[in-house]
Amino acid sequence: MRSFLPFLDLRELEPSELRHEVLPAIATMVMSVPQGIAYALIAGLPPAMGLYAGAIPAIVGSLLRSSRVVIVGPTNAISLIIATSVVAAAEDPVQAAATLALMVGVLQIAAGLSRLDSLVDYISTSVVAGYITGAASLILVGQLPNLTGTEGVGGDIASRLVAWITTLDDANPLALGIGIGSVVGIAALRRVLPKGVPALVIMGGSIALTFGLGLDDS
C-alpha cells in the first residue's frame, strides 16, 4: 500500500525534518512559476495554463508516484510539440491542449501498467542531445518576435528566422528594451540570488512596470 501511496510516509516525518522538506518545496515553487508561464507562451496558450500545468501534476504526482525525487510538470519540449502540432491547427487552443493532456495521461497510465518504461534505456545519448538541441533552437527562434514586438510566422526554423529578420525595421524599441533588460537583469541577479529567484524577481518587476506605466495599453 505504501509503495502505491507514498504520501503515507509523511506519518513518519519528524518535526525536525520538516524544514528540510519545506525549503526545497519553496525553491521549486519559486522556479516553477516563471517556467510555467514561459512554457505556456511557447505552446501558444494563456499564461495561466502554465501555472495549472505546474501545480496540478505536482499535487497528483506527490500523492501517487513511487519516487520522491522525480520532477513532474511541463517542459519546453512538450510545449514546443503542443505549439507546432496541435494548438497551431486548432480553433480552440485551450480545449485542444486539455484534450491532448487527457489523452497523454491515459496513454502514460497504460504504458506504466504494461512496463514499457524500460524502452527508454535503449535511447542513445546522442539522440537525446540532438533532440534537446533542436528543441532549444526552435524555442529560441520562436520567441524572437516576442523580443522585438513584431509579428511572427509559422513554418520551419529557417522560414521563421528569415521572416523575423525582415521585420526588424518594425521592431518595438520598448519591447526590445524590456526583453534585453530582463536578460541582463537575470544574469546579474544570478550572482547574488538562489537559482530560480532571479527570473521570478524580473518577471514581477516587469509586470509592475507594465501596469505602473500603462504599457499594457500601448
Side-chain angles (χ1 to χ4, degrees):
M1 173 66 72
R2 181 166 299 174
S3 61
F4 183 69
L5 299 175
F7 66 90
L8 294 178
D9 293 342
L10 294 176
R11 295 180 301 182
E12 301 176 2
L13 186 66
E14 298 292 336
S16 59
E17 301 175 342
L18 186 60
R19 185 175 70 91
H20 300 289
E21 300 289 340
V22 172
L23 291 181
I26 295 176
T28 302
M29 182 273 295
V30 168
M31 189 170 62
S32 297
V33 170
Q35 280 187 343
I37 294 176
Y39 292 154
L41 294 176
I42 291 173
L45 299 172
M49 298 297 103
L51 301 181
Y52 298 150
I56 296 176
I59 296 173
V60 176
S62 62
L63 294 177
L64 299 178
R65 65 186 175 188
S66 57
S67 174
R68 300 179 66 180
V69 296
V70 174
I71 299 175
V72 296
T75 64
N76 52 9
I78 293 176
S79 301
L80 182 63
I81 292 174
I82 293 176
T84 56
S85 62
V86 179
V87 174
E91 295 182 0
D92 188 343
V94 175
Q95 183 177 1
T99 303
L100 178 63
L102 179 60
M103 294 172 61
V104 170
V106 172
L107 292 175
Q108 287 183 333
I109 293 175
L113 295 176
S114 303
R115 305 285 185 178
L116 296 180
D117 55 301
S118 59
L119 296 178
V120 179
D121 297 333
Y122 297 98
I123 301 177
S124 64
T125 304
S126 58
V127 172
V128 176
Y131 175 77
I132 293 175
T133 303
S137 300
L138 285 172
I139 291 171
L140 174 62
V141 174
Q143 294 305 303
L144 288 177
N146 293 328
L147 176 65
T148 55
T150 53
E151 189 72 23
V153 299
D156 57 74
I157 187 171
S159 301
R160 292 184 178 187
L161 186 58
V162 171
W164 175 73
I165 293 175
T166 59
T167 62
L168 288 180
D169 292 338
D170 300 325
N172 186 328
L174 187 59
L176 187 60
I178 293 178
I180 295 177
S182 297
V183 173
V184 174
I186 291 175
L189 291 177
R190 279 183 174 179
R191 300 177 179 272
V192 296
L193 294 177
K195 182 179 179 180
V197 176
L200 188 65
V201 171
I202 294 299
M203 182 184 68
S206 299
I207 293 174
L209 180 65
T210 299
F211 282 100
L213 299 180
L215 301 180
D216 54 319
D217 297 327
S218 60

